[in-house]
Amino acid sequence: MSENEETSELLRLRREKLAAWRSRGIDPFGGSFPDTTSVAEILMHFAEGRKARLAGRLLSIREMGKSLFAHLQDASGRMQIYANLQSVGERFADLKLLDLGDIVGVEGDCFQTKTGEKTLRVGRFDLLSKSLRPLPSQWHGLHDVEARYRQRYLDLIANPEVREIFHKRVRIVREIRSFLEERGFLEVETPMMQPIPGGAAATPFSTFHEALGIPLYLRIAPELYLKQLLVGGFERIFELNRNFRNEGLSRKHNPEFTMLEAYWAYADFPRMAELLESLVCHLAEKVCGGLHLSAATGLFPSIDLTPPWPRKRFSDCLREATGKEWFSLPPEERRRLAEELGVPLLPNAEEIDVTRHAFEKLVEARTAGPLFVTHLPRELVPLARQNREDPSVVDVFELIIGGQEIAPGYSELNDPIVQRERLEHQAGEERQKLDEEFLMALEYGMPPAGGLGMGIDRLVMLLTGSESIRDVIFFPLLRPSRHFSQIS
């Protein structure tokens, strides 16, 4: 029998059981089952004879004559249940209609088996939702990577370590909010649909508003709106936002991603670095139990987050990586040196792109960190304040941990004249891309401020030791599946 034929047979048998439940007057997609206790609570307060109600998914079933053992899983874990003819009476026959994956509610009393396993003896059970498809590989796990991402619900059912990653993600986001609110920051919301995409150099997704008759773009960053709130007198603000960039996918990139952006009036980039260092250390201790992390790849076996974290200028990093005073070299010599050192470059790459790619390949990818790289070239960060001593650089940092950028931070540019010049240069001939409303807001006066942006997905990768951004996003973007398109 082929795999497709076997699957079809399993589906047919489950439909037959569905009909059998209905023939007995039982709704196989039943009602509520309130007042339950979680598996974790039952096991924590376990006592012989203690009564309990539990609801969850069946992950194993073992029939032994006139008795049945099974494992029930809820959000907190799994527990063995037991039933026999004496405990459930005439309904014992209904137990034989249960399948792996069915969601049931049970009620009974606790006891320990001869092998010492904590078990719930079932006195009553209700079928709450009939599973019409078999779980993959029974309950031993779902291992096909593409299937795991595409059918995340099966991944969560089958793999406890995956559920733990996403539980940690939820805790990380909650702790970020708590940490910032305790320090006087207010959480705000800014538009996801924008008439002009700004705040970053990225390709936007476009849409159209029928009622207003105008094109709109999904935001690539919330920065320009948040700065308008600084103008309006909101002095400590943050947003946990969804951003959208119509660009490629990789181990570190998903077109839809979550970011933290925070702004602090009258602060600067060293102050934001201190805030970020405290935040990441706080998260590691709360969620991971300490400051020593296991890395996802063999390149960095472990990462030590113990503060204080070192600071190093961008130019010094490139000099150490290339053995040359990078910014003293003519442009053509920089390109030649980068290529000699294995940095891939497009033939028409601009001068600043050569520098960017050299840094990413030779410094960022090889740095375990944590390391604050400071004073980047002005051309790389058009929204940051120019350094007073060296006008060729801006007062910013990039935090690198585990071979990737985790967060940039700025002393924000609040000079509206210089800001216009920078944005005009960035836009080139496409002047319609200038956000005139933002520039007008700056002319009313924005206080000097520090700002930072941190990718939540990359942060979760770091704190959970995950290899790919797809491992920490519930539903990452994937190519359409031929299998599912045929079904539809």
Side-chain angles (χ1 to χ4, degrees):
M1 182 182 293
S2 69
E3 183 177 345
N4 286 340
E5 289 173 334
E6 184 178 355
T7 301
S8 296
E9 177 64 13
L10 290 173
L11 294 177
R12 185 189 65 80
L13 291 173
R14 291 195 175 221
R15 296 279 176 169
E16 287 183 358
K17 289 185 177 180
L18 177 72
W21 283 106
R22 285 180 168 148
S23 70
R24 296 173 185 228
I26 297 172
D27 181 0
F29 303 99
S32 64
F33 196 80
D35 303 321
T36 59
T37 305
S38 70
V39 165
E41 289 178 281
I42 294 173
L43 295 179
M44 183 181 297
H45 304 291
F46 187 86
E48 287 274 351
R50 182 177 184 140
K51 300 290 183 182
R53 285 166 59 85
L54 177 64
R57 189 182 297 273
L58 288 172
L59 293 188
S60 74
I61 301 174
R62 303 190 312 278
E63 291 187 41
M64 303 175 65
K66 294 183 179 181
S67 63
L68 176 144
F69 286 91
H71 279 91
L72 202 65
Q73 175 175 286
D74 68 3
S76 68
R78 65 180 58 169
M79 181 178 184
Q80 181 168 267
I81 60 173
Y82 168 80
N84 60 17
L85 185 61
Q86 182 179 359
S87 68
V88 296
E90 61 184 19
R91 291 211 60 200
F92 185 77
D94 292 341
L95 290 173
K96 296 183 179 297
L97 295 176
L98 293 174
D99 285 307
L100 295 182
D102 288 353
I103 298 175
V104 299
V106 297
E107 182 177 335
D109 57 275
C110 298
F111 76 103
Q112 279 189 279
T113 64
K114 293 180 180 178
T115 60
E117 183 166 0
K118 295 175 180 178
T119 305
L120 185 70
R121 180 185 290 105
V122 177
R124 173 201 164 187
F125 72 94
D126 291 340
L127 176 63
L128 304 178
S129 185
K130 178 67 184 167
S131 175
L132 299 182
R133 287 182 175 270
L135 296 178
S137 304
Q138 296 188 358
W139 59 289
H140 298 293
L142 180 67
H143 301 294
D144 181 82
V145 173
E146 179 75 8
R148 286 182 50 226
Y149 296 148
R150 196 174 298 282
Q151 295 176 274
R152 181 67 84 186
Y153 47 90
L154 294 181
D155 193 22
L156 295 169
I157 292 170
N159 296 317
E161 66 277 9
V162 174
R163 290 198 304 278
E164 179 60 21
I165 286 174
F166 286 103
H167 278 295
K168 284 185 176 180
R169 181 184 178 116
V170 171
R171 290 180 61 198
I172 288 167
V173 172
R174 185 174 66 237
E175 288 293 340
I176 289 172
R177 283 194 167 98
S178 175
F179 179 92
L180 291 172
E181 287 170 352
E182 287 174 2
R183 286 155 181 79
F185 286 80
L186 301 176
E187 183 172 9
V188 298
E189 295 174 305
T190 61
M192 283 193 181
M193 293 191 298
Q194 303 177 353
I196 298 174
T203 303
F205 289 93
S206 59
T207 184
F208 191 83
H209 193 285
E210 296 290 346
L212 293 178
I214 58 172
L216 291 171
Y217 302 90
L218 296 183
R219 71 177 169 202
I220 57 177
E223 179 170 343
L224 304 190
Y225 286 90
L226 291 170
K227 287 182 174 178
Q228 292 178 54
L229 295 181
L230 286 176
V231 173
F234 279 67
E235 295 180 350
R236 298 188 191 190
I237 53 176
F238 74 96
E239 183 173 9
L240 282 161
N241 57 78
R242 303 290 286 179
N243 291 339
F244 308 85
R245 299 184 183 178
N246 197 353
E247 298 170 344
L249 294 85
S250 76
R251 183 182 68 84
K252 299 187 291 184
H253 297 89
N254 191 67
E256 178 183 0
F257 60 97
T258 305
M259 274 197 71
L260 165 71
E261 286 210 13
Y263 293 88
W264 187 352
Y266 311 112
D268 56 12
F269 84 100
R271 193 70 182 273
M272 301 309 290
E274 293 172 4
L275 179 72
L276 181 60
E277 182 178 295
S278 297
L279 171 60
V280 175
C281 289
H282 170 82
L283 295 173
E285 290 177 326
K286 283 285 188 178
V287 177
C288 306
L291 298 177
H292 294 268
L293 306 179
S294 298
T297 66
L299 186 60
F300 310 115
S302 63
I303 295 171
D304 182 3
L305 297 179
T306 303
W309 298 349
R311 274 80 164 153
K312 188 181 293 186
R313 294 176 73 96
F314 186 91
S315 58
D316 293 338
C317 291
L318 276 177
R319 185 185 66 250
E320 293 177 7
T322 63
K324 303 283 186 179
E325 290 290 348
W326 180 263
F327 291 104
S328 297
L329 299 174
E332 62 275 9
E333 205 168 321
R334 291 182 206 166
R335 173 183 287 273
R336 180 186 57 77
L337 179 59
E339 291 176 338
E340 285 178 0
L341 294 172
V343 178
L345 297 172
L346 295 173
N348 59 345
E350 295 184 7
E351 184 179 337
I352 194 61
D353 291 325
V354 174
T355 296
R356 177 189 292 109
H357 293 316
F359 175 80
E360 291 173 351
K361 180 80 172 181
L362 303 176
V363 178
E364 181 180 299
R366 299 176 182 179
T367 300
L371 172 66
F372 286 112
V373 177
T374 67
H375 300 93
L376 276 68
R378 182 182 60 198
E379 295 83 359
L380 282 177
V381 195
L383 295 175
R385 179 187 290 274
Q386 195 166 302
N387 183 264
R388 293 181 186 275
E389 287 75 34
D390 182 357
S392 69
V393 301
V394 285
D395 288 339
V396 306
F397 68 76
E398 282 189 2
L399 173 60
I400 299 173
I401 309 179
Q404 62 182 348
E405 179 195 347
I406 297 296
Y410 303 174
S411 290
E412 299 295 341
L413 176 59
N414 63 343
D415 183 331
I417 299 172
V418 175
Q419 183 66 89
R420 178 178 288 276
E421 291 172 354
R422 299 259 193 96
L423 292 179
E424 285 177 349
H425 177 75
Q426 187 181 49
E429 296 181 359
E430 298 181 86
R431 295 298 175 87
Q432 73 276 9
K433 290 186 176 180
L434 291 180
D435 192 329
E436 293 290 349
E437 290 193 10
F438 165 65
L439 292 170
M440 179 188 294
L442 284 190
E443 292 179 357
Y444 284 95
M446 186 184 90
L452 66 83
M454 179 164 59
I456 300 301
D457 308 309
R458 290 190 187 180
L459 177 67
V460 176
M461 288 172 63
L462 171 71
L463 295 179
T464 60
S466 298
E467 172 68 22
S468 169
I469 197 170
R470 294 183 177 189
D471 294 327
V472 300
I473 296 175
F474 274 118
F475 300 103
L477 185 65
L478 303 169
R479 293 183 184 277
S481 168
R482 181 180 303 176
H483 169 72
F484 287 102
S485 62
Q486 288 174 346
I487 290 176
S488 60

